[in-house]
Amino acid sequence: MAAVRLLAVASPGECHGADNASVCFRTTPGPTCRPLLGLIKESADLWRKHGAQVSVWSVQMGEVGNMVFACRFDSSAQLGATLDAVNADPAFAAWRVKNIKAGLASWVRSNQAYEIPI
């Protein structure tokens, strides 16, 4: 379903012009996986509620240990509308506070990419 695979990994035959926004993060050392996955699922549910196609990736080469939360959109207009809706959602604001207080991961980078059909 995802037309853009993050970290320069693309699946042949899936390219048809789309936007992708992603956040790359690293887990905090210690036994954080289960509670972190719970927070990731909560965030994914909120993004999906507003129209994003969400996937989560575990980096296998290069920056091993990082994870990527990716949102795919069929157009730049859908990306913009979803960003507006997510940022206006009080549940997402509450999730942000909860996520920061949990301290289970640290931000590495964010990317936004537009797929170029070839």
Side-chain angles (χ1 to χ4, degrees), residues 42-107:
E42 287 178 38
S43 180
D45 290 345
L46 289 164
W47 281 92
R48 287 182 181 123
K49 172 178 137 182
H50 295 292
Q53 299 169 41
V54 179
S55 58
V56 177
W57 303 80
S58 175
V59 177
Q60 300 295 309
M61 294 180 66
E63 297 175 328
V64 175
N66 285 354
M67 296 180 75
V68 177
F69 183 94
C71 294
R72 183 187 178 282
F73 307 92
D74 292 330
S75 67
S76 296
Q78 183 189 18
L79 166 62
T82 300
L83 284 173
D84 286 345
V86 166
N87 286 316
D89 187 336
F92 189 70
W95 177 87
R96 281 182 171 159
V97 171
K98 181 179 176 181
N99 183 49
I100 291 167
K101 284 183 177 180
L104 299 175
S106 56
W107 176 84

